[in-house]
């Protein structure tokens, strides 16, 4: 039941974040006032349907200006989302997370990655997203948003491909960068068919940022040690194969499958402000 509920929310969010449908037919992007609003998920600014801004793109856009370097608005907004919900947005709202889950349903051999690979995304957050854009910003020309330009599969899938199909000007300007982006996208799509949420686990800079808050967020999964009989069902049912009894692991996207399948009801989804204070049990 929670899987159906979550899928409906994911679909509704993907549509809501990309509801400028006319843009797909006209080959243009929406530039109205809503575009100043930062979304809590990876959703390309240049997607013809996007009505808000991608936080990763916004961080780089500000960092590439010679005058600013750092966006307090975007960082503060993401920190607020992280402090309240951890990686909930990854599991319930992110369109690229949804795409990965659908691709993973394609029948193929499935694999697990060694634990160290998840640290790659922190490197991506720090180097191409936060450090390289300001380093290459000139006094007149802004620097390059390195992650958007070279590494973002969502940008290619949601923006570069639809715009190149419907906009002849963009199509005419395609060059070797587009070839690289298509090849990289193809590699990522194969990767996520074989590895559940492979991009989120290994490469996404936004997932890296939110993962820092998973253990301390107000909304979290709590385990009652008196009820838990250590049967390990939570680890078996976890789509990301996270270890049992480490609720709120940095990679947990809050799908809540463990909570709903715990045979003793030891797991609860709670709003807990501080350790030891009264907490509110969220109806699952
Ligand atoms: S290219 Fe990727 S990171 Fe950049 S704005 Fe688009 S979705 Fe965001
Ligand atoms: S980690 Fe995955 S779900 Fe979270 S923002 Fe990145 S792509 Fe989306």
């Amino acid at each position: 039941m929670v899987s159906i509920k979550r899928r409906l929310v994911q679909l509704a969010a993907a549509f809501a974040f990309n509801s400028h449908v006319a843009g797909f037919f006209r080959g243009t992007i929406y530039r109205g006032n809503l575009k100043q609003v930062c979304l809590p998920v990876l959703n390309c600014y240049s997607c013809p349907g996007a009505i808000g801004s991608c936080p990763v793109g916004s961080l780089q856009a500000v960092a590439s200006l010679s005058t600013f370097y750092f966006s307090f608005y975007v960082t503060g907004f993401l920190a607020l989302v992280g402090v309240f919900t951890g990686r909930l947005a990854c599991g319930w709202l992110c369109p690229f997370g949804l795409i990965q889950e659908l691709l993973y349903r394609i029948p193929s051999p499935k694999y697990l990655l060694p634990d160290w690979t998840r640290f790659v995304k922190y490197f991506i957050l720090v180097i191409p997203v936060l450090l390289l854009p300001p380093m290459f910003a000139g006094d007149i020309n802004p620097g390059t948003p390195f992650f958007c330009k070279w590494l973002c599969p969502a940008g290619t899938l949601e923006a570069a491909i639809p715009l190149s199909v419907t906009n002849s000007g963009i199509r005419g300007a395609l060059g070797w960068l587009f070839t690289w982006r298509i090849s990289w996208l193809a590699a990522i799509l194969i990767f996520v068919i074989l590895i559940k949420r492979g991009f989120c686990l290994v490469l996404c800079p936004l997932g890296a940022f939110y993962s820092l808050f998973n253990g301390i967020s107000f909304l979290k999964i709590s385990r009652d040690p008196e009820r838990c009989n250590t049967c390990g069902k939570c680890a078996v049912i976890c789509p990301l194969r996270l270890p049992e009894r480490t609720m709120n692991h940095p990679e947990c996207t809050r799908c809540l499958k463990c909570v709903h399948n715990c045979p003793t009801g030891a797991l609860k989804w709670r709003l807990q402000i501080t350790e030891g204070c009264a907490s509110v049990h969220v109806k699952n």
Side-chain angles (χ1 to χ4, degrees), residues 19-169:
S19 50
H20 182 246
V21 180
F24 288 103
F25 297 101
R26 292 192 201 128
T28 55
I29 63 173
Y30 167 75
R31 293 184 193 275
N33 288 340
L34 276 175
K35 222 41 187 279
Q36 290 167 28
V37 176
C38 180
L39 299 177
V41 291
L42 196 76
N43 191 85
C44 190
Y45 178 95
S46 300
C47 172
I51 55 154
S53 289
C54 171
V56 180
S58 305
L59 278 176
Q60 292 166 94
V62 175
S64 1
L65 300 172
S66 58
T67 40
F68 286 110
Y69 302 125
F70 187 77
S71 173
F72 290 97
Y73 161 52
V74 179
T75 314
F77 171 71
L78 294 180
L80 204 63
V81 174
V83 163
F84 272 91
T85 64
R87 282 185 81 168
L88 183 75
C90 293
W92 290 73
L93 301 178
C94 182
F96 201 65
L98 170 64
I99 290 168
Q100 290 175 74
E101 288 183 9
L102 296 177
L103 285 170
Y104 188 75
R105 296 174 80 96
I106 295 175
S108 77
K110 304 296 177 190
Y111 300 96
L112 291 175
L113 291 170
D115 199 41
W116 65 264
T117 54
R118 70 188 180 86
F119 294 102
V120 174
K121 61 182 174 296
Y122 300 101
F123 171 84
I124 291 181
L125 173 64
V126 173
I127 306 292
V129 174
L130 296 176
L131 285 185
L132 291 183
M135 277 171 67
F136 286 86
D139 286 341
I140 298 170
N141 295 319
T144 302
F146 279 83
F147 179 78
C148 291
K149 186 168 178 184
W150 298 99
L151 295 174
C152 184
T156 309
L157 189 66
E158 296 168 4
I161 292 178
L163 285 175
S164 66
V165 169
T166 44
N167 186 315
S168 56

